[in-house]
Amino acid sequence: VYFVTEDKYKHRSAVLKILSNLSKNQGAFYILSSADAILAACELLVASDMERKLSEGESRHCINIINILSTDACNRSKIRRSGALRKLIAMCKESELQSEKSAVS
């Protein structure tokens, strides 16, 4: 999770993919929640002053992390407080693809 928050980290997309795949594992839910993986993903989505903007794949990984970890009430409140909920709604409205809309919602 630390490497995801580093703006200049050159392997950010690989780390996001690993976290996204790891979040699918039921046993990793508590570890990722306690490490604030959802908060890191939310902050990446809403950050506007990053030196290296998120690619489409990185955004998809962030959405996947948020989607899977949002089953916990504490994580849902982190999403709301970070401002990522507004960003996700805007992404859903802007998207033309049904697969992206269903991933966001």
Side-chain angles (χ1 to χ4, degrees):
V1 175
Y2 170 77
F3 291 120
V4 169
T5 59
E6 282 295 304
D7 187 30
K8 298 176 186 173
Y9 191 64
K10 61 184 177 183
H11 300 294
R12 179 177 67 193
S13 60
V15 173
L16 278 170
K17 184 175 183 175
I18 291 168
L19 282 176
S20 176
N21 288 332
L22 187 60
S23 65
K24 296 173 188 174
N25 184 343
Q26 292 289 344
F29 183 86
Y30 177 74
I31 294 168
L32 290 175
S33 292
S34 62
D36 277 339
I38 197 163
L39 191 58
C42 288
E43 287 175 356
L44 280 174
L45 277 178
V46 298
S48 59
D49 60 345
M50 288 191 322
E51 188 174 305
R52 205 179 92 195
K53 298 284 185 191
L54 288 178
S55 68
E56 184 180 329
E58 289 173 335
S59 293
R60 245 189 348 264
H61 294 312
C62 287
I63 291 169
N64 190 40
I65 293 166
I66 292 168
N67 189 17
I68 292 172
L69 297 179
S70 66
T71 58
D72 183 49
C74 292
N75 286 339
R76 286 194 302 272
S77 69
K78 290 177 185 177
I79 295 169
R80 286 190 300 273
R81 285 193 308 257
S82 71
L85 186 59
R86 283 188 219 123
K87 175 77 174 184
L88 290 169
I89 291 170
M91 288 172 74
C92 189
K93 287 180 180 177
E94 292 171 1
S95 178
E96 297 293 323
L97 300 173
Q98 186 60 35
S99 60
E100 286 184 2
K101 288 183 178 185
S102 64
V104 171
S105 56

